[in-house]
Amino acid sequence: MNNLIRRYKDIRNRKRLGNVYDGEYAFVGIGGHSLDNLYPVLGYLNVRLKYICCKSPDKIPVIENKYMGVRATADIGDILGDDNIRGVFVSAAPASHFGIAVEILRSGKSLFIEKPPCASLEELCRLIDMEKMYGSPVVVAGLQKRYSPAVSVLRKKLRGCCKATGYSLKYLTGLYPEGDALTDLFIHPLDLVCFLFGPPSIQGIDIIRSKDGGQTFMLILKHPQVTGMLELSTSYTWADGCETITVNTEKGVFVLTQMRNLVFKPRYGSVFGVPVEKIVRCSPSAVTLFSENGFVPTIANNQLYTHGYFNELKTFVDSVEGRRSENMSGLSSLTDTYRLLGDICRADKRGM
């Protein structure tokens, strides 16, 4: 038995060591999100960054001192003019994403761009047209919840034996004075419900603004087969943020909490319209379909993995290097999300 265990570990380690990427890449942006969430994943995957582009020239020596062997630059032209660069990661100020994306797509290079890739459906359509015009091989938008393993399990269940009949979603956090909460924060839950349930239309909306700058969007969305209720708010707290989606189906209820825990609570049914629970005493039961294991410190139990950052970046690099063709977050797949964002903005301007 010990020999088998050693043999298994040896094969597993050799496979990991042999997983090497050949291409050279560049990164535009050096902000907090990039440093905390994206660079660590690229380092773990051993993706070869040749350039890091920043806005401030005075950061160049600091970057080159921290990332040995990387060339720092304040001119994106250095990257676009280098034929050896196969793909570019972009995670800069959200307002600058569209302009940067236009330049990279025009160069014909593959592009990974953090959310939001642009500010409107019109800009998204322009990026899609440019992607086709200039032949960019791979384009991925950084909506990482699509790559969360818990979301993958839930989506498979909903597309299989469990037909959704309704859902509720809460995305509650603190004040967000540094940007547009709708496109910077709420794009995630709005994209998630489009990804899970298809194109929505707004059946009801109420927008509440608090005196301290908090915003709350109360929405009723109608999808092709299901209706959902959403509360998206920056009037709560960052210290104890909440992200929960509850999906009711014909067979039971799914509850996904913080992308870290997915449980299924089966429905007991009825007899002649009378709930079985009122006839026979039933003990509450729940089946855990996915749960982050806080005891074992492996990559699969790291929040960068459970929240989807690892898989979205790996998917991009694998696609660039021809190891996979699946792309769940190409620009075309964001059309429903951006149409919904536009509908919410128009409703807000009308004072609904």
Side-chain angles (χ1 to χ4, degrees):
M1 179 60 70
N2 288 336
N3 288 334
L4 287 175
I5 293 173
R6 283 195 294 269
R7 179 62 176 165
Y8 165 75
K9 289 183 176 181
D10 182 65
I11 293 173
R12 181 187 61 186
N13 291 340
R14 287 178 182 273
K15 183 179 180 180
R16 289 179 178 176
L17 291 171
N19 187 17
V20 177
Y21 293 111
D22 298 322
E24 293 183 318
Y25 297 82
F27 202 113
V28 179
I30 195 73
H33 170 63
S34 303
L35 291 171
D36 292 340
N37 301 320
L38 305 184
Y39 282 102
V41 174
L42 296 177
Y44 182 90
L45 292 172
N46 200 27
V47 174
R48 298 167 60 192
L49 284 183
K50 184 175 182 179
Y51 296 94
I52 291 177
C53 183
C54 63
K55 184 170 63 174
S56 304
D58 60 309
K59 287 185 179 179
I60 289 177
V62 180
I63 294 171
E64 292 184 341
N65 183 59
K66 181 174 179 63
Y67 297 99
M68 303 300 295
V70 171
R71 178 183 170 188
T73 178
D75 184 1
I76 194 173
D78 294 337
I79 295 170
L80 302 182
D82 190 332
D83 293 336
N84 293 321
I85 297 299
R86 299 185 61 178
V88 184
F89 302 91
V90 177
S91 179
S96 68
H97 279 183
F98 175 73
I100 296 172
V102 166
E103 291 190 67
I104 295 171
L105 291 175
R106 191 178 286 128
S107 75
K109 298 184 185 298
S110 291
L111 168 66
F112 174 93
I113 186 158
E114 254 297 348
K115 57 79 191 169
C118 53
S120 66
L121 179 60
E122 291 73 21
E123 288 186 351
L124 179 69
C125 291
R126 183 181 170 190
L127 293 180
I128 293 171
D129 289 342
M130 292 189 67
E131 177 185 359
K132 297 174 182 177
M133 181 185 303
Y134 293 103
S136 299
V138 180
V139 180
V140 170
L143 289 158
Q144 78 279 351
K145 295 186 191 301
R146 295 187 177 202
Y147 295 91
S148 164
V151 169
S152 297
V153 173
L154 176 59
R155 189 168 186 246
K156 184 176 180 180
K157 292 290 185 181
L158 297 178
R159 290 189 163 196
C161 60
C162 298
K163 181 181 178 181
T165 58
Y167 72 86
S168 63
L169 183 149
K170 288 182 177 291
Y171 185 94
L172 316 175
T173 186
L175 297 177
Y176 187 71
E178 63 264 39
D180 184 345
L182 184 61
T183 56
D184 294 357
L185 300 181
F186 300 154
I187 189 174
H188 283 299
L190 293 172
D191 179 74
L192 178 61
V193 298
C194 291
F195 182 63
L196 290 175
F197 306 113
S201 60
I202 299 175
Q203 301 297 298
I205 181 171
D206 191 15
I207 302 172
I208 307 160
R209 289 183 169 83
S210 60
K211 293 181 179 180
D212 60 1
Q215 298 180 76
T216 300
F217 293 80
M218 306 294 294
L219 297 165
I220 300 176
L221 300 182
K222 176 70 175 178
H223 302 265
Q225 303 296 330
V226 62
T227 299
M229 300 180 65
L230 299 86
E231 179 184 4
L232 315 175
S233 181
T234 58
S235 293
Y236 289 77
T237 172
W238 286 97
D240 189 25
C242 170
E243 183 178 17
T244 302
I245 181 169
T246 301
V247 184
N248 196 18
T249 74
E250 296 171 339
K251 294 189 176 183
V253 178
F254 294 92
V255 181
L256 174 57
T257 307
Q258 312 287 71
M259 299 295 141
R260 300 171 65 179
N261 189 55
L262 175 64
V263 299
F264 175 69
K265 301 175 182 180
R267 187 187 304 280
Y268 291 104
S270 62
V271 178
F272 301 112
V274 179
V276 171
E277 297 159 290
K278 291 191 174 184
I279 301 173
V280 180
R281 183 175 180 180
C282 300
S283 299
S285 62
V287 179
T288 299
L289 301 176
F290 178 86
S291 181
E292 179 183 297
N293 185 338
F295 181 73
V296 182
T298 63
I299 184 63
N301 295 318
N302 190 293
Q303 286 191 33
L304 294 179
Y305 182 86
T306 57
H307 281 255
Y309 293 110
F310 181 92
N311 283 334
E312 69 170 357
L313 292 170
K314 189 175 189 303
T315 295
F316 174 70
V317 181
D318 282 348
S319 299
V320 171
E321 306 216 356
R323 301 186 186 187
R324 72 165 72 186
S325 57
E326 180 187 26
N327 178 8
M328 296 188 295
S329 55
L331 294 176
S332 298
S333 73
L334 307 186
T335 302
D336 292 336
T337 301
Y338 269 85
R339 184 173 289 113
L340 176 57
L341 287 168
D343 290 343
I344 294 173
C345 287
R346 283 187 286 274
D348 189 14
K349 290 179 181 178
R350 292 196 300 266
M352 294 180 64

